[in-house]
Amino acid sequence: MKFQITLMIYFFPFATKVLSIICFLFVYNIQGQSINITKVPLSQTTIAEERLQKIDNLLNEYTAKQWIPGAVALVAHKGEIVYHKAFGEKHLEKNIPLQTTDIFRLASMSKCITSVALMILYEEGKFLLDDPVSWYIPEFEKAKVAIFDTDTSFHTIAANKPVTIRHLLTHTSGIGYGFTNKKTAFLYQKKQIPDAFVITNTQLAEKMKILATQPLLHHPGEKWTYGLNTDMVGYLVEVLSGQSLDEFIQERIFTPLKMGNTHFYLPDEKSEKLVPVYGEFKPNQLTINDNSSSFQSYNFPIVGAKTYYSGGSGLCGTAKDYYKFGQMLLNGGIYKGKRILSPLTINLMTTNQLGTLKMGANNSNFFGLGFAITSKTSTAKYLVSEGRYGWTGYFKTTFWIDPQLEIVAVLLTQTFPSIHTGLFEKFENMVNQSIIE
């Protein structure tokens, strides 16, 4: 259902004219005549800047109450940035104000970029979506499914079908995340397969080959299970391209889009731009959360071996850089004369690929190839258009693209854990309520 703004009543400066129009409509009704309602084309809609400024109050409230330390928000409409501001502080203890040019851990927002990287190779004829992954990563050849009796006791059966590349891109392969599932944690931790934020001297290929031999949580295509699928997609990019994931993404996405502040690991000269992670361990009280151990750290972009290119969670960057990526998608694969993908490929990636499967029991959205897509039934929850697509990140980051309203929006904070929820939905409400005819 396309979002339409319907003009129900024409307003005139004088009450007598209003009354005459009401009477006219009433007469038409009693005579059984149809009334034509004027519908404003989306091409004639615009953003009211004074309404857009309501975002200020929202983000000032969240920072003042220490629900988040700070945030950078960016909104673009019809290819033009109409809002780009920083709120709060980068470092609370040192009273350092946050800047729009500061760098954030994108975490799972990396998945969208890695999925695009693989689809570049799709357009070059390197694979088809329903190819078995084992054709390119042989360790997948004898895929098995774990049947758990308890969280730590299971037996295996042969998978009833091969894991395909489509399964990886849609999170329906049966590969999970350890931090969200006790059974997955039991399978992966003993093999030292990391979820994210790796600081040890290891490489993606090493761990993905091991992951490919581990039992799946269910038969391929049976369920939507969020997991390390996009890390495997990143490894597939390396296999098909002959380059590291870092080299491929820099060459084929970041350089043409001039995303010069987006990296897996930050150069030393940019380390001071990285925003610390804060945790709301107690209500309205934020403290720095490094979450460091011998193998992982939230400070992974600037510490450790810097050798593990996690396609599912490893990138960091600025709001403006991510906007360029989003605008490229909204433009049908091109940005400022640099084409990354074709419009048909973007359409494929942003079309429901799950069939009748759902993203969990209470989630009515669809999933494409790397993006969640808003369904008709989910649009009633807050101001959002059907067909809008995007994703979020572990450290309270989000972005979305609304093809109907021609919106690209990015909101970056750096908070985990966070007690207070609803920020993303409120932010999207603030953006979309500013659309007027």
Side-chain angles (χ1 to χ4, degrees), residues 139-362:
E139 288 79 4
F140 266 108
E141 190 168 354
K142 296 180 180 179
K144 295 185 180 299
V145 175
I147 308 298
F148 278 85
D149 302 311
T150 68
D151 287 345
T152 58
S153 175
F154 68 94
H155 63 279
T156 62
I157 61 174
N160 62 10
K161 63 176 69 69
V163 175
T164 67
I165 296 175
R166 191 190 303 269
H167 290 143
L168 294 180
L169 286 165
T170 57
H171 291 271
T172 58
S173 68
I175 295 173
Y177 263 132
F179 78 95
T180 61
N181 189 304
K182 291 181 180 179
K183 296 174 181 178
T184 310
F186 176 73
L187 290 172
Y188 296 174
Q189 286 177 3
K190 63 181 181 180
K191 297 290 185 179
Q192 296 184 321
I193 299 170
D195 280 339
F197 320 136
V198 178
I199 60 173
T200 56
N201 187 17
T202 186
Q203 295 185 342
L204 186 65
E206 174 190 348
K207 296 302 182 182
M208 290 303 100
K209 288 178 181 179
I210 298 171
L211 177 61
T213 67
Q214 298 310 294
L216 306 170
L217 296 178
H218 53 74
H219 292 291
E222 184 177 84
K223 296 178 183 178
W224 189 88
T225 300
Y226 193 49
L228 286 164
N229 296 275
T230 317
D231 283 68
M232 192 67 73
V233 166
Y235 176 46
L236 192 56
V237 169
E238 294 189 340
V239 171
L240 294 171
S241 70
Q243 297 177 279
S244 73
L245 182 60
D246 180 44
E247 292 169 339
F248 186 87
I249 289 179
Q250 286 288 344
E251 179 183 322
R252 305 299 294 274
I253 299 176
F254 295 163
T255 297
L257 296 183
K258 296 185 178 180
M259 295 171 63
N261 288 309
T262 306
H263 308 270
F264 280 104
Y265 299 101
L266 292 179
D268 290 342
E269 64 271 18
K270 295 182 181 180
S271 62
E272 291 299 317
K273 300 298 291 181
L274 183 67
V275 177
V277 176
Y278 281 84
E280 190 185 9
F281 296 100
K282 297 179 181 179
N284 309 333
Q285 184 177 331
L286 294 168
T287 55
I288 285 182
N289 183 12
D290 291 337
N291 192 33
S292 295
S293 70
S294 60
F295 63 94
Q296 71 171 23
S297 170
Y298 287 171
N299 284 329
F300 71 94
I302 56 175
V303 301
K306 302 181 182 181
T307 59
Y308 195 85
Y309 303 126
S310 168
S313 60
L315 289 169
C316 52
T318 63
K320 190 169 184 180
D321 267 13
Y322 210 93
Y323 152 71
K324 294 175 183 178
F325 174 73
Q327 191 66 53
M328 175 274 294
L329 295 169
L330 182 59
N331 293 347
I334 192 170
Y335 178 75
K336 292 191 180 298
K338 301 296 183 179
R339 179 163 294 284
I340 307 300
L341 290 174
S342 75
L344 284 177
T345 302
I346 301 296
N347 184 64
L348 176 66
M349 296 184 74
T350 56
T351 299
N352 177 31
Q353 298 289 323
L354 296 184
T356 58
L357 295 180
K358 295 297 182 182
M359 294 170 56
N362 299 317

Side-chain angles (χ1 to χ4, degrees), residues 96-130:
I96 301 175
L98 190 64
Q99 304 292 326
T100 57
T101 54
D102 281 330
I103 293 173
F104 294 74
R105 299 156 190 80
L106 299 173
S108 285
M109 283 169 55
S110 306
K111 290 178 170 65
C112 305
I113 293 174
T114 302
S115 298
V116 165
L118 184 61
M119 295 305 287
I120 291 172
L121 295 167
Y122 173 78
E123 289 192 338
E124 294 177 354
K126 300 293 186 181
F127 66 93
L128 293 174
L129 287 173
D130 294 317

Side-chain angles (χ1 to χ4, degrees), residues 3-32:
F3 178 80
Q4 294 178 319
I5 300 175
T6 306
L7 186 59
M8 300 295 296
I9 301 173
Y10 289 93
F11 290 91
F12 289 80
F14 302 102
T16 55
K17 291 187 177 182
V18 174
L19 180 61
S20 66
I21 290 174
I22 294 172
C23 293
F24 173 76
L25 296 178
F26 176 75
V27 170
Y28 251 72
N29 265 329
I30 63 174
Q31 290 179 343

